[in-house]
Amino acid sequence: MRAIDPGQDPGIRIEEALAEVLARACTGQAPPLLAAAYHHAVFPGGARIRPRLTLSVAGACGDDRPAVANAAAAAIELLHCASLVHDDMPCFDDADLRRGKASVHLAFGEPLALLAGDGLIILGFQTLAIAGGVSAERALQLTMILARATGMPGGIVAGQAWESEPEIDLVLYQQAKTGSLFAGAAMAGAAAAGQPHEQWAGLGYRLGEAFQVADDIRDVCATQEEIGKPIGKDDALGRPNAVKALGLKGAVRRLTSLIDETIEAVPDCPGRDALRRQIQRESARFLPASSALLPA
Amino acid sequence: MRAIDPGQDPGIRIEEALAEVLARACTGQAPPLLAAAYHHAVFPGGARIRPRLTLSVAGACGDDRPAVANAAAAAIELLHCASLVHDDMPCFDDADLRRGKASVHLAFGEPLALLAGDGLIILGFQTLAIAGGVSAERALQLTMILARATGMPGGIVAGQAWESEPEIDLVLYQQAKTGSLFAGAAMAGAAAAGQPHEQWAGLGYRLGEAFQVADDIRDVCATQEEIGKPIGKDDALGRPNAVKALGLKGAVRRLTSLIDETIEAVPDCPGRDALRRQIQRESARFLPASSALLPA
């Protein structure tokens, strides 16, 4: 394994960690098309907001085992990519476009999209187990955090399952579908650095809600080229959307106040002030360029 | 957690472990339909051959931490059930019937079937992480074993992915699709008991091949009522089948010789002789009653 420079750019750390993990999975006698589908699902990435959050929190907590933080960041992005692949399939959103190119099922067919999603989930947990060679205790804690963020009763699969219920609890739905992995990403950063993690959940949930509101605004205001996926999807699928509920001005105000709450929610830790500044800076990227002139 | 009696009947251990794991996942604010889909996918079970193999090997190796062996057995069955749910979906086998009742997508719709499969994979790995409270080292080793058995490059998803390749390597295909989880189940039994596990792979692969040949025979000879799923599927889907390749007599001879090889492959361990007798006994259940009079 390469020596890890903890001062390295987080974007580079994430891409290198993902590349290493995928190379290990797609080696030797792997069926070539599924290997290609894995790569298609993971590269190039979107904003990598969740693994960036993990590395930022790990950094604020000391990041004393950067290999564990890298594994946590990679695992979170793999689980996120898996959920996108399955969410795009015909029985869900039936989306042709993702991150500016064909969705996995469109490029490789439904069977390989289904398998790629399954395989990326498995790979996420495998990545954490490998990090157990550095710290068994942290690897197991990270597995618990990510399983809770993605599984039942309150993780991503639960969130998506609310869409099949005759009555939907909107708060539970959005917390599970979006908030849970943001909360998991924040908690994972602290756990990867060997620090208590429960107090990081609140920050993650608020950032997740901010991201959801920003996504709702993008769905209404951005161009397809900017966000790499179709716009107007919520309206077409009858999904809740903050702009519809609050108006455009109200949604932008809600976003601003959620970002403020996120910054307030940073727990006491060695890198608290730097992390607050970073959240301020990075959350500006939540909205696409075309919405920079939105009324605040 | 209940006190565990290591002398308990393995069938009861498996059902109780699965019930406990599912109860934990489907608690509190879980979306009810997905919770129901989890139960539909897991209960009632088929022959539970893989988790039985895990408990048998654990027993032969001393089974000094029965809670870890139970977790390993439950995790293996959850991963197996997940693969059945996804394999039955319209984009794969499009099967209406499984274990004598409606397949999950037929009973709950495709979105919930997709999510149930994803969620059961996550739950499998979570179950192992919880067992990390008993032994961190064994839990991590089990995670590695099960990730290898189900993921890329040689686990179940790789096996199913070969069906999408223009050219299929039959040996790799069957080893990955069926053999890998049998090998994983055998290795997991040894690892759960804190013993070296690599030497158990051979037994698992042979038993997996025996099971595959028996499945091929069932597909040709059994009644739908006996096996709880449609017969003649291989022929309809153009899949390889041992009866087609070797004739019925030849397939039954191959099955007998694979079971002999499995028994020969039991590594040196405290419970070697008992395990050999058990494999002999249990493998008789591979074939349905209607094939008991087959020529040997």
Side-chain angles (χ1 to χ4, degrees):
Chain A
M1 198 184 273
R2 264 175 295 93
I4 291 165
D5 169 13
Q8 202 183 21
D9 173 77
I12 295 175
R13 281 176 72 175
I14 293 163
E15 300 312 312
E16 288 192 355
L18 288 169
E20 192 177 322
V21 166
L22 257 74
R24 208 185 306 113
C26 299
T27 186
Q29 301 185 305
L33 287 172
L34 183 57
Y38 272 40
H39 278 87
H40 189 95
V42 177
F43 299 112
R48 308 280 199 215
I49 291 178
R50 295 160 193 79
R52 278 176 177 275
L53 174 59
T54 300
L55 291 186
S56 297
V57 173
C61 292
D63 200 10
D64 66 333
R65 295 279 185 282
V68 178
N70 288 357
I76 283 162
E77 184 64 15
L78 292 173
L79 291 165
H80 173 59
C81 291
S83 83
L84 297 182
V85 172
H86 283 178
D87 204 27
D88 284 342
M89 286 182 69
C91 69
F92 277 108
D93 289 1
D94 197 11
D96 290 348
L97 200 67
R98 170 67 70 181
R99 291 172 174 174
K101 59 182 185 176
S103 52
V104 175
H105 68 91
L106 200 73
F108 293 89
E110 282 189 62
L112 287 172
L114 186 51
L115 293 172
D118 290 354
L120 292 173
I121 296 172
I122 294 163
L123 190 56
F125 289 106
Q126 189 175 24
T127 300
L128 297 178
I130 292 171
V134 179
S135 167
E137 194 191 340
R138 295 185 197 182
L140 288 167
Q141 210 161 44
L142 288 166
T143 304
M144 293 300 294
I145 291 169
L146 291 205
R148 219 190 312 153
T150 54
M152 283 272 268
I156 296 177
V157 298
Q160 292 196 236
W162 280 110
E163 293 168 14
S164 295
E165 289 290 331
E167 282 177 45
I168 187 166
D169 180 322
L170 266 185
V171 173
L172 279 182
Y173 166 59
Q174 289 183 331
Q175 278 195 355
K177 189 173 175 182
T178 309
S180 62
L181 196 56
F182 276 89
M187 290 192 280
Q195 297 301 312
H197 61 267
E198 291 292 349
Q199 62 258 48
W200 289 89
L203 176 152
Y205 276 116
R206 285 183 186 84
L207 193 63
E209 202 182 334
F211 182 78
Q212 184 62 58
V213 173
D215 199 54
D216 289 356
I217 296 172
R218 282 199 299 269
D219 188 60
V220 173
C221 302
T223 66
Q224 176 170 305
E225 288 66 36
E226 280 177 320
I227 61 172
K229 60 182 180 180
I231 58 168
K233 209 177 60 176
D234 290 336
D235 205 34
L237 294 168
R239 297 260 171 82
N241 179 300
V243 177
K244 209 158 138 190
L246 306 170
L248 183 54
K249 261 186 167 171
V252 173
R253 262 194 225 111
R254 178 90 189 109
L255 173 61
T256 310
S257 105
L258 279 165
I259 291 170
D260 290 345
E261 285 177 35
T262 304
I263 291 167
E264 273 309 303
V266 176
D268 200 20
C269 62
R272 189 181 190 186
D273 292 340
L275 181 58
R276 288 177 156 193
R277 286 193 299 274
Q278 193 184 355
I279 292 170
Q280 187 79 67
R281 206 166 53 235
E282 300 239 343
S283 58
R285 294 163 51 180
F286 277 19
L287 291 182
S290 69
S291 60
L293 301 175
L294 288 179
Chain B
M1 197 184 273
R2 263 174 299 91
I4 290 165
D5 169 14
Q8 203 181 21
D9 173 76
I12 295 176
R13 281 176 74 176
I14 293 164
E15 300 311 313
E16 288 192 355
L18 288 168
E20 192 177 322
V21 166
L22 256 74
R24 209 186 303 113
C26 298
T27 187
Q29 301 186 305
L33 286 172
L34 184 56
Y38 272 41
H39 278 88
H40 189 96
V42 176
F43 299 111
R48 307 281 199 214
I49 291 178
R50 296 160 192 79
R52 278 175 177 275
L53 175 59
T54 300
L55 291 186
S56 297
V57 173
C61 292
D63 199 10
D64 66 334
R65 295 279 184 281
V68 179
N70 288 356
I76 282 162
E77 185 64 15
L78 292 172
L79 291 165
H80 173 59
C81 291
S83 84
L84 297 182
V85 173
H86 282 179
D87 203 26
D88 283 344
M89 286 183 68
C91 68
F92 277 107
D93 288 2
D94 197 11
D96 291 349
L97 200 67
R98 169 68 69 181
R99 293 173 172 172
K101 59 181 185 176
S103 51
V104 176
H105 68 91
L106 200 73
F108 293 90
E110 282 189 61
L112 287 173
L114 185 51
L115 293 172
D118 290 355
L120 292 173
I121 296 172
I122 295 164
L123 189 57
F125 289 106
Q126 189 174 23
T127 300
L128 297 178
I130 292 172
V134 179
S135 167
E137 194 191 340
R138 295 185 195 181
L140 288 166
Q141 209 160 44
L142 288 166
T143 304
M144 293 300 295
I145 291 168
L146 292 205
R148 219 190 311 153
T150 53
M152 284 271 269
I156 296 176
V157 298
Q160 294 197 235
W162 280 110
E163 292 169 13
S164 295
E165 290 289 332
E167 283 177 44
I168 188 166
D169 180 323
L170 266 184
V171 174
L172 279 182
Y173 165 61
Q174 290 184 331
Q175 277 196 354
K177 190 173 173 181
T178 309
S180 63
L181 195 56
F182 275 89
M187 290 192 280
Q195 297 301 312
H197 61 268
E198 291 293 348
Q199 62 258 48
W200 289 88
L203 176 153
Y205 276 115
R206 284 184 186 84
L207 192 62
E209 202 181 334
F211 182 77
Q212 184 62 57
V213 173
D215 200 53
D216 290 356
I217 296 172
R218 281 199 299 269
D219 187 60
V220 174
C221 302
T223 66
Q224 176 170 305
E225 288 65 36
E226 279 177 321
I227 62 172
K229 60 181 180 179
I231 57 168
K233 207 177 62 175
D234 291 336
D235 205 35
L237 294 168
R239 298 260 171 82
N241 179 301
V243 178
K244 209 159 136 189
L246 307 170
L248 183 54
K249 259 186 169 174
V252 173
R253 261 193 226 112
R254 177 93 188 108
L255 173 61
T256 310
S257 105
L258 279 165
I259 290 171
D260 290 345
E261 286 176 34
T262 304
I263 290 166
E264 273 309 302
V266 176
D268 200 21
C269 63
R272 190 180 189 187
D273 292 340
L275 181 57
R276 287 177 156 193
R277 285 193 299 274
Q278 194 184 355
I279 292 171
Q280 186 80 67
R281 207 166 53 236
E282 299 239 343
S283 58
R285 294 164 49 179
F286 277 19
L287 290 182
S290 68
S291 59
L293 301 175
L294 287 179

